[in-house]
Amino acid sequence: MNYLVGAFKPPCNVFISFADGRSRKQVPLKKENGKTVMVALFQSQENIVGEVVIEPIHGKKVEHNGVKIELLGQIELYFDRGNFYDFTSLVRELDIPGELYERKTYPFEFSTVEMPYESYNGVNVRLRYILKVTISRNFVSNIVECQDFVVRNYTPPPSINNSIKMEVGIEDCLHIEFEYSKSKYHLKDVIIGKIYFLLVRIKLKNMELEIRRRESTGSGPNTYVETETLAKFELMDGAAVRGESIPIRLFLSPYELTPTYRNINNKFSVKYYLNLVLVDEEDRRYFKQQEITMYRLLEAS
Amino acid sequence: MIADGVEDEEKWLSAGIAGLQQNAFYMHRALDSNNLRDALKYSAQMLSELRTSRLSPHKYYELYMRAFDELRKLEMFFKEETRRGCSIIDLYELVQHAGNILPRLYLLCTVGSVYIKSKEAPAKDVLKDLVEMCRGIQHPVRGLFLRSYLAQVSRDKLPDIGSEYEGDADTVVDAVEFVLQNFTEMNKLWVRMQHQGPAREKEKREKERSELRDLVGKNLHVLSQIEGIDLDMYKDTVLPRVLEQVVNCKDELAQYYLMDCIIQVFPDEYHLQTLDVLLGAFPQLQPTVDIKTVLSRLMERLSNYAASSADVLPEFLQVEAFSKLNNAIGKVIEAQPDMPILGVITLYSSLLTFTLHVHPDRLDYADQVLGACVRKLSGKGKLEDNKATKQIVALLSAPLEKYNDIVTALKLSNYPRVMEYLDSETNKVMATVIIQSIMKNKTRISTADRVEALFELIKGLIKDLDGTFDDEVDEDDFKEEQNSVARLIQMFYNDDTEEMFKIICTVRKHILAGGPKRLPFTVPPLVFSSLKLVRQLQGQEENPFGEEESTTPKKIFQLLNQTLETLSNIPAPELALQLYLQCAEAANDCDLEPVAYEFFTQAYILYEEEISDSRAQVTAIHLIIGTLQRMHVFGVENRDTLTHKATGYSAKLLKKPDQCRAVYACSHLFWVDDQDNMKDGERVLLCLKRALRIANAAQQMSNAARGSTGSVTLFVEILNKYLYFFEKGNPQVTVAAIQSLIELITTEMQSDSSTPDPAADALFASTLRYIEFQKQKGGAVGEKYEPIKV
């Protein structure tokens, strides 16, 4: 059936555009085919206003059972292929059943749309928002056109943001105390901190700080956890001795981070960790992982 | 294995250089096309070559220098980039995105330098950030080079007073803080280097470390160049901080080098004002640190400083520099029980030099130093260590050189006590140095006490020490030494006769202990000094107070007599004889007949008993005759006895010509021009005739022995005597006698058997010329000569 769809060109072109398309901020979005396209950026509670243009191909007549536009928020789990969970679904009827002979423009508007989750493109899961125009037809397949857009939600700086401070060690081998100035960081933030060496009996070679992303999908026995190391940032070269304190300053902006997502629609979570790794001369690794919370701060642009 | 290591290292180095150059090439391309992103990428890759652990510091330095050059270009680029509108703050953040720490920090320092220049942030903040961030490099070599780079790029950007980066208030403090911190961290890394790697390569590592020391020291140099550091700041902040670091690092190499650095880079007046603090650090250093060298240099600098201007001397007094140094040295020696004696002496030697320069008037200081030295040396016996003895010689020479006056040195009661620790050889050397100093400066030693002290010092030359006699002493050296002692004795002089007499007694006491080898050298100067005193006493004969003088010529002569006796016992009869005659003549001048007679008697006894060599006899007899001729003190009887003896000796000489000459010389004993009662023409003639007889006999003897008559020299000489007495008006000497003598000579000379003797001919000819000349003079003399026919 599918190749037939390809064989027969749809009898009309459908364009979806936003009213403020020119002025709205565009962000890159990676498509399934690996290409990156620029799409419009929205946040929750915004009005999504635009128009749909349907243009039949040189005078062909399009019969239809009605035209509608949907705003869908979908979660797609890769291991559960093909299943979309729509957590948001809004519909606007654009046209009653009839025939189209010529180009026709339909304005649409979704007011103060609740879009609680951000667009996310992970290893095992994707959360996306689309506008979907459907021209329903009898006997033949519907004509469907989709337009992605990206949602990002901004959070005010947290009122409580404690530092992370901890003393760890291996008895009689290595004792360190580390401190990160905050536990919650925005995406362009900088991690400031220090590591204080209380006892060093092993021959250290270097020390690095990793930013790790832990994406867990599914629930119960079907939980899939995927961990990525997004950054490896060398903090120390050589071996510190007792009493040394090594500064940490890690700018987060070069890395593609997202806010921390906790239990999105009971489908998935994305968490971030700072992993402090000490490597000795025999390449043994000693590490301590700490969760940090990422949030998106409204950029003053 | 080791050769392999070196080869490998070369390989790694060239690989490193290649990698560096390649990335530098891409970096240049990015720079040319103003591509910031690529520039950062490739510069970071380029700098990654510096992450190697395989190179020795020496080779690493080579690599570093190349990277350094490239970074200069990058810095220029950053500067242009900011001019093109790129925010320096963004740039400062951007370079920190690099994942590897070493390239990141090099880039950060480079941008930081531009950042400071842009003045968009206070220099102090940027510097503080940089120096903090550099903590991330804990690898000693890499860390040292990185921080050295930081020091290099920042040194012209410190917020010093007068600098364009100077901020609002107290920014010098920030500059100092920055340098101090960098210094501290570098030193820690440097010290830590020794613990890295296997123990068997420790030596190699120490060598490598020592190659790196200037990287650390450069910080101190930078500190010293910060204009804003005034004395208070140096005292309160800089020095304590630096010293704290030095002391706490507990590392021999670092402590030695850094202490030296501190002393060399900071100004002298600062050292002077912070002596307490600075010196306080020394005893806390590791026991193996070569403190003596460092401290010596400090004292040397301070001495030079004191010498540079008289204005600074009050400062030295004010801070009691001497006592502080002295205490410090004491403490250091205490703290380092293993310090070799050489070190101790070097320290004291430096201290002595210091005090001599700074407190030339405080002799007690110098004595204190010597005293402390003695205390240290005591219980160690004679020094075996060659270097240590040399150092002692230097120590002891210092006061002499400074004061140019042994008298001052003699006041140092500990001086001879130090000398006691020298072996006899060195002791002599030292004694010679002392004497030379006296000679050079023509120092007059004018009291018996000082003479006593001086002899104590040079006793190595005066007598055999320890009762051991060193056979190996070189004859020439020995003579040289004793000659110098002889010269020294001449330097003792006092106008006050009492004191001078004491001096002489003292000298006598000492030199008599010198043994037979020394006496011939030392007695003559003593005798002459004494005779000088005698003459001096004569000059002030009239004692205005009529008191009984303790020092009389008589007393001196008694003393001399005893002294000379020892000389004749050695035996050195010829010398003794000469000296007896000298004394006799002096006694003559003092109108002490019995004394003079006694001296003559002694001389005669020596002649008879001790002088057996004929040549010596000839010399002696002529001396006797000459002296006797000048004596006027003798009564007729005494004189007769003595002249009789002298003539008797003359006639008994072995060789005829000697006899002849001695006899005609004796003629003078009977004819003294300025004494009318001493003109016995008859006996003069007797002598002359006797001489003629002997000459004749000599002539015949030679004729008999060799078939030819000897020279007529003797006759000509006798003729001269005739002429002399003739001219003086001896009635017994007649024209006829002269005439016949001339004829005799002429005949002899023309005789076939005579041996031609040009010297005799010449003498005769000039004698005849003299007669002619006198004739032509006319007057009384001319008349007198007129009858003589030539």
Side-chain angles (χ1 to χ4, degrees), chain A residues 188 203 205-208 232-241 243-255 281, chain B residues 51 92-94 96-104 108 129 132-140 142 185 188 192 196-197:
Chain A
K188 307 289 176 201
K203 290 180 174 176
K205 193 164 76 178
N206 66 353
M207 172 169 72
E208 52 194 28
K232 274 193 175 187
F233 190 75
E234 196 181 14
L235 290 178
M236 180 179 81
D237 171 23
V241 295
E244 286 292 347
S245 97
I246 307 297
I248 306 172
R249 185 191 293 154
L250 170 55
F251 289 94
L252 296 174
S253 56
Y255 309 106
E281 283 183 348
Chain B
R51 298 175 70 208
Y92 194 70
E93 184 192 318
L94 211 52
Q96 294 186 65
H97 294 172
N100 281 322
I101 184 157
L102 192 69
R104 178 165 79 233
L108 191 65
D129 189 53
E132 267 302 312
M133 293 311 285
C134 283
R135 279 175 185 276
I137 306 297
Q138 294 288 326
H139 184 277
R142 294 196 282 271
E185 293 299 325
K188 279 199 250 175
R192 206 188 291 162
Q196 310 240 324

Side-chain angles (χ1 to χ4, degrees), chain A residues 44 48 70-75 84-91 110-118 127-132 149 151 264-265:
Chain A
S44 190
I48 299 176
E70 289 166 290
L71 189 158
L72 298 174
Q74 299 179 323
I75 294 172
F84 300 103
Y85 300 94
D86 294 345
F87 55 89
T88 296
S89 176
L90 300 168
V91 184
F110 300 95
S111 314
T112 55
V113 188
E114 198 68 44
M115 293 179 287
Y117 310 130
E118 287 199 346
L127 187 152
R128 66 172 191 163
Y129 288 92
I130 47 172
L131 285 171
K132 183 172 167 188
F149 65 91
V151 171
I264 300 300
N265 209 35

Side-chain angles (χ1 to χ4, degrees), chain B residues 208-232:
Chain B
E208 289 176 354
R209 274 188 66 206
S210 135
E211 287 170 3
L212 289 173
R213 62 183 192 178
D214 286 345
L215 295 183
V216 185
K218 200 159 77 180
N219 285 299
L220 294 180
H221 186 66
V222 171
L223 268 182
S224 74
Q225 309 229 302
I226 296 181
E227 300 257 329
I229 299 186
D230 54 12
L231 181 60
D232 284 340

Side-chain angles (χ1 to χ4, degrees), chain B residues 474-491:
Chain B
D474 185 64
E475 199 63 32
D476 286 343
D477 286 354
F478 182 74
K479 273 189 194 158
E480 188 65 32
E481 279 166 23
Q482 296 305 319
N483 278 332
S484 61
V485 175
R487 283 208 294 279
L488 175 68
I489 294 176
Q490 302 284 4
M491 300 303 288

